[in-house]
Amino acid sequence: MESAPKDISPKLNGLSLAVSNSLSLSTSPIATFQSSFQSPTSSFGGARLARASTGAFPKQLKPFATEDIKILLLENVNQTGRDNLTEQGYQVDFHKSSLPEDELIAKIRDVHVIGIRSKTKLTARVLREAKNLIVIGCFCIGTNQVDLQYAAQHGIAVFNSPFSNSRSVAELIIGEIISLARQLGDRSNELHKGTWNKVSNGCWEIRGKTLGIIGYGHIGSQLSVLAEAMGMSVIYYDAVNLMALGSARQVPTLAALLNNADFVTCHVPELPETKNMIGPQQFDQMKNGSYLINASRGSVVDIPSLIDAMRSGRIAGAALDVYPSEPGGNGDYFTNELNPWAEDLRSLKNIILTPHIGGSTEEAQSAIGVEVSEALVRYVNEGTTLGAVNMPEVNLRSLTMDEPNHMRVIFIHHNVPGVLRKVNEVLGDHNVDKQMTDSRGDVAYLMADISNVNQSEIKELYESLESLNSRIMTRVLY
């Protein structure tokens, strides 16, 4: 019977064992490891990537002192994600809401991993203080709340969950289309006040109507299928040519979509090109009596122009789930102090206003918690960057229990000529079993597995790599 693997706790003569800008050692505390994992792809869904079987148990690389890995989770990250991280032995500091910037800066100085949702802003000012940070997990779709370039230039990987809440958002849009077409919000509010107002004027079936989808990505394409199942015709506009699902049809311009859609729904990222994408000109191009829905980003729709279009009767109804400025927590904050037009918006008829809940279902948040936490664990424990939004995607086959004296080197560096030659000079006297490198813009990511190394050689390799001028961050997993 094989004996259980034991933790290895090397002493490196005072060399720091922190996981960030210093040596990160790892051990093999368990004999089994999940043999497959979910990895985001660049298409409409996740691909399940299976590691090839070698006949031996995969060896889980783990940072040397897992109890010293500090994780800060903000904005009520789902229990599934918290459990995954706690089970690794990490120190998890959990908060239900976001933090004011000064308090966030004080908290982030000591953590190696931070998990956020959409309200926490990780600006350059905040990240500059995060001296130990190696990875950021965005437990949501968007990453515009993070300074991705600054993070990459300082060796901080960023992961998100690009599809886990797609179905929840698509279902919300279907519900809002029906609610707007039947004026359900107004009838409900009236009856709550005791007023019985049974009317059919201006109320419609959605069967036979045309839905125009701006942005045919993960959410837009799922919405397309659901809408066709309800009897709607679907047209969509996207900056790139995309294959239509079902009987949907891509139109060449935004104007063509607005001219022909009874319902217009926005599903685009926050970019300079999408700021006020729907403004006065676009409302003039929409059909009289049409409807607008935005569950993408608050900057996409010019709200004052929407208010004018609804007051004039050109737009018969609207549903908004996102806003240019949103409160940091729950409470009576949706006032003119937050957005100067808030009270005018709230006074409109047949408008559905929701507090950024598109992905707020138990199913979506549970799936996001699992997806992002697993990506964080893989990055901390193995250095795998599959799914990172700001780093090259690099992955190596897992080491096995038959490879006890192996180490994994992760070298994040500036993408300049001559770096690989210098790195290979450092590694040249050792047996490099596997090596992979890739670059993305100004940042490159190298991962190498080295066999038959002892503790003194680990220290020597680490210090040699740290001394290279091109270095951004060096990590060593054992």
Side-chain angles (χ1 to χ4, degrees):
M1 180 182 244
E2 294 184 2
S3 60
K6 297 180 180 179
D7 287 353
I8 303 173
S9 301
K11 306 298 182 182
L12 296 182
N13 301 324
L15 183 65
S16 172
L17 295 176
V19 285
S20 60
N21 298 335
S22 56
L23 180 58
S24 172
L25 296 177
S26 69
T27 62
S28 307
I30 59 175
T32 60
F33 183 53
Q34 186 178 357
S35 62
S36 64
F37 58 87
Q38 187 73 21
S39 172
T41 68
S42 58
S43 186
F44 293 136
R48 186 158 295 275
L49 306 178
R51 292 190 178 96
S53 174
T54 61
F57 286 120
K59 169 183 175 182
Q60 185 183 14
L61 291 173
K62 267 191 128 176
F64 159 62
T66 56
E67 68 277 7
D68 292 335
I69 295 179
K70 297 179 181 178
I71 299 181
L72 177 62
L73 296 181
L74 303 176
E75 302 182 66
N76 203 27
V77 167
N78 191 266
Q79 187 69 46
T80 56
R82 284 141 53 192
D83 289 345
N84 277 351
L85 297 170
T86 301
E87 287 168 4
Q88 295 294 317
Y90 308 149
Q91 293 183 39
V92 178
D93 183 10
F94 168 73
H95 295 259
K96 286 190 174 182
S97 63
S98 59
L99 299 176
E101 187 171 72
D102 289 342
E103 187 176 347
L104 176 60
I105 287 174
K107 283 275 189 182
I108 206 172
R109 286 191 175 112
D110 297 327
V111 302
H112 307 103
V113 181
I114 185 169
I116 62 172
R117 293 175 68 186
S118 58
K119 290 184 172 58
T120 300
K121 307 300 181 187
L122 296 180
T123 62
R125 177 175 180 259
V126 173
L127 294 176
R128 194 175 297 116
E129 302 297 325
K131 303 302 183 184
N132 294 327
L133 194 65
I134 61 170
V135 62
I136 297 167
C138 296
F139 287 77
C140 53
I141 290 180
T143 56
N144 56 291
Q145 68 275 40
V146 180
D147 189 328
L148 297 178
Q149 183 176 4
Y150 184 94
Q153 290 173 346
H154 291 79
I156 303 168
V158 180
F159 294 88
N160 70 334
S161 178
F163 359 84
S164 290
N165 69 358
S166 301
R167 177 71 182 203
S168 295
V169 177
E171 288 186 3
L172 176 67
I173 303 305
I174 290 293
E176 290 177 335
I177 290 171
I178 296 172
S179 296
L180 291 172
R182 298 296 298 274
Q183 300 178 14
L184 294 183
D186 288 354
R187 299 296 85 79
S188 177
N189 288 337
E190 290 162 357
L191 203 54
H192 274 280
K193 296 174 182 177
T195 302
W196 186 276
N197 185 22
K198 183 178 179 180
V199 296
S200 60
N201 184 44
C203 297
W204 313 94
E205 293 182 354
I206 67 169
R207 178 181 56 175
K209 305 301 186 295
T210 298
L211 174 63
I213 302 173
I214 304 173
Y216 203 68
H218 306 303
I219 296 171
S221 56
Q222 283 209 36
L223 175 59
S224 171
V225 174
L226 295 178
E228 284 197 346
M230 300 293 291
M232 302 187 79
S233 299
V234 177
I235 57 177
Y236 64 92
Y237 170 72
D238 202 289
V240 297
N241 291 325
L242 296 169
M243 184 183 72
L245 300 183
S247 300
R249 177 172 56 88
Q250 185 165 7
V251 294
T253 64
L254 177 59
L257 182 142
L258 298 174
N259 291 162
N260 292 282
D262 300 300
F263 295 84
V264 175
T265 179
C266 304
H267 302 283
V268 296
E270 185 174 50
L271 299 169
E273 306 91 89
T274 62
K275 183 176 176 62
N276 292 331
M277 187 178 194
I278 306 297
Q281 179 182 353
Q282 288 70 37
F283 285 117
D284 287 342
Q285 293 170 342
M286 292 176 68
K287 295 171 67 173
N288 276 322
S290 57
Y291 303 84
L292 176 71
I293 300 170
N294 183 27
S296 57
R297 287 293 177 260
S299 61
V300 171
V301 175
D302 179 30
I303 304 295
S305 297
L306 170 63
I307 294 171
D308 292 341
M310 290 192 66
R311 284 176 172 169
S312 71
R314 185 170 193 86
I315 304 300
L320 301 178
D321 189 48
V322 290
Y323 311 90
S325 297
E326 298 180 359
N330 294 339
D332 299 329
Y333 304 122
F334 197 70
T335 65
N336 281 6
E337 292 182 10
L338 183 70
N339 292 295
W341 36 253
E343 293 176 17
D344 287 338
L345 187 69
R346 287 161 45 193
S347 70
L348 297 173
K349 293 291 187 181
N350 202 27
I351 187 162
I352 300 171
L353 303 176
T354 50
H356 205 149
I357 58 170
S360 295
T361 62
E362 295 285 354
E363 295 90 346
Q365 291 306 308
S366 176
I368 289 171
V370 171
E371 182 179 1
V372 177
S373 64
E374 287 184 351
L376 295 176
V377 169
R378 287 195 301 271
Y379 184 77
V380 173
N381 292 358
E382 299 187 37
T384 298
T385 58
L386 291 179
V389 299
N390 69 331
M391 287 276 187
E393 293 192 292
V394 177
N395 184 39
L396 288 180
R397 173 184 61 80
S398 295
L399 296 173
T400 71
M401 298 303 293
D402 292 338
E403 301 168 307
N405 295 319
H406 287 56
M407 62 177 283
R408 174 164 291 178
V409 172
I410 296 156
F411 187 64
I412 308 171
H413 60 89
H414 298 291
N415 187 21
V416 294
V419 176
L420 290 182
R421 175 176 55 81
K422 293 180 179 179
V423 170
N424 287 327
E425 286 175 358
V426 173
L427 305 181
D429 292 332
H430 301 274
N431 185 29
V432 178
D433 286 352
K434 305 183 291 293
Q435 181 173 322
M436 182 177 178
T437 186
D438 198 359
S439 62
R440 182 172 182 168
D442 296 331
V443 176
Y445 194 97
L446 180 146
M447 186 187 296
D449 287 347
I450 303 171
S451 62
N452 301 319
V453 289
N454 57 44
Q455 303 303 322
S456 62
E457 289 173 322
I458 293 175
K459 177 183 177 182
E460 179 184 348
L461 281 168
Y462 171 78
E463 291 180 341
S464 297
L465 291 171
E466 280 283 279
S467 68
L468 298 181
N469 292 333
S470 59
R471 165 208 169 274
I472 294 176
M473 182 183 293
T474 307
R475 298 177 63 208
V476 175
L477 307 177
Y478 189 83

